[in-house]
């Protein structure tokens, strides 16, 4: 799950209140509080909104990196690329869906669904893939051309 500490740090650094950010994300105040504590996951779209708002990388927001900026940064998530890159990583590493699902603690049907529809990919799954292959979530989502987590 994403790093709530980074969310709180960014909010505070930018003189924003929890209420301000919950309005930007169009979520309830209580939901945003749960995001900051890491109790419930945010959606990819919500992470993207905050990434644009704060001008920081997904990797930073998700607690994978201390580096906030990315080169060649795009504002949109490329869902076609996301589903392709996940499937490609699995195949190039010669891991079948069954073993991949087991390794990442997901069902085979979830892995299959993620590989066929990028919009269904959960943040938890994305983070697990990034850690497993040391690959940037920004890259996986087509937001950066730099593959490695900085």
């Amino acid at each position: 799950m994403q790093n709530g500490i980074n969310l709180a740090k960014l909010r505070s650094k930018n003189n924003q209140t929890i209420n301000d950010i919950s309005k930007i994300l169009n979520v309830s105040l209580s939901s945003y509080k749960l995001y900051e504590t890491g109790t419930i996951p945010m959606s990819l779209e919500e992470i993207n909104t905050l990434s644009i708002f704060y001008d920081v990388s997904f990797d930073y927001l998700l607690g994978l990196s201390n580096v906030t900026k990315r080169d060649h940064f795009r504002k949109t998530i490329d869902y076609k690329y996301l589903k392709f890159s996940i499937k490609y990583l699995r195949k190039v590493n010669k891991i079948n869906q069954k073993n991949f699902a087991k390794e990442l603690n997901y069902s085979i049907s979830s892995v299959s669904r993620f590989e066929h529809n990028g919009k269904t990919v959960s943040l938890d799954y994305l983070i697990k893939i990034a850690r497993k292959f040391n690959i940037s979530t920004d890259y996986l989502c087509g937001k950066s051309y730099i593959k490695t987590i900085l």
Side-chain angles (χ1 to χ4, degrees):
M1 196 174 292
Q2 72 272 4
N3 189 335
I5 294 167
N6 286 347
L7 295 175
K9 271 194 240 179
L10 280 169
R11 182 179 50 74
S12 179
K13 179 181 173 186
N14 288 277
N15 297 315
Q16 301 289 319
T17 66
I18 290 174
N19 195 43
D20 294 333
I21 304 304
S22 67
K23 285 180 182 175
I24 289 168
L25 295 177
N26 197 27
V27 298
S28 69
L29 192 57
S30 60
S31 289
Y32 185 74
K33 285 179 183 179
L34 293 172
Y35 291 163
E36 276 200 7
T37 60
T39 305
I40 61 171
M42 298 176 80
S43 70
L44 277 175
E45 286 301 325
E46 290 167 334
I47 287 289
N48 194 50
T49 298
L50 291 181
S51 173
I52 294 165
F53 179 76
Y54 290 125
D55 193 27
V56 297
S57 70
F58 272 24
D59 292 338
Y60 180 78
L61 281 173
L62 299 172
L64 297 170
S65 173
N66 291 325
V67 177
T68 58
K69 298 283 184 182
R70 296 294 292 191
D71 292 330
H72 311 291
F73 195 73
R74 294 180 50 202
K75 290 188 176 186
T76 58
I77 298 169
D78 184 339
Y79 288 103
K80 285 182 181 179
Y81 186 78
L82 176 58
K83 73 177 187 173
F84 165 80
S85 61
I86 289 171
K87 188 174 189 176
Y88 177 79
L89 277 173
R90 183 180 58 75
K91 287 190 171 192
V92 79
N93 286 284
K94 298 178 180 154
I95 307 170
N96 64 32
Q97 279 187 344
K98 181 180 178 182
N99 290 338
F100 204 57
K102 187 176 180 180
E103 255 183 76
L104 299 179
N105 200 26
Y106 272 85
S107 67
I108 296 170
S109 61
S110 291
V111 170
S112 179
R113 185 178 71 247
F114 297 155
E115 289 182 3
H116 288 89
N117 183 355
K119 288 188 177 188
T120 65
V121 173
S122 73
L123 278 179
D124 180 61
Y125 188 72
L126 189 64
I127 292 167
K128 285 180 179 181
I129 289 172
R131 285 185 175 138
K132 176 173 178 52
F133 296 109
N134 191 35
I135 193 162
S136 167
T137 55
D138 295 288
Y139 177 81
L140 288 170
C141 292
K143 292 179 60 72
S144 174
Y145 298 112
I146 299 172
K147 284 185 176 183
T148 58
I149 297 172
L150 300 177

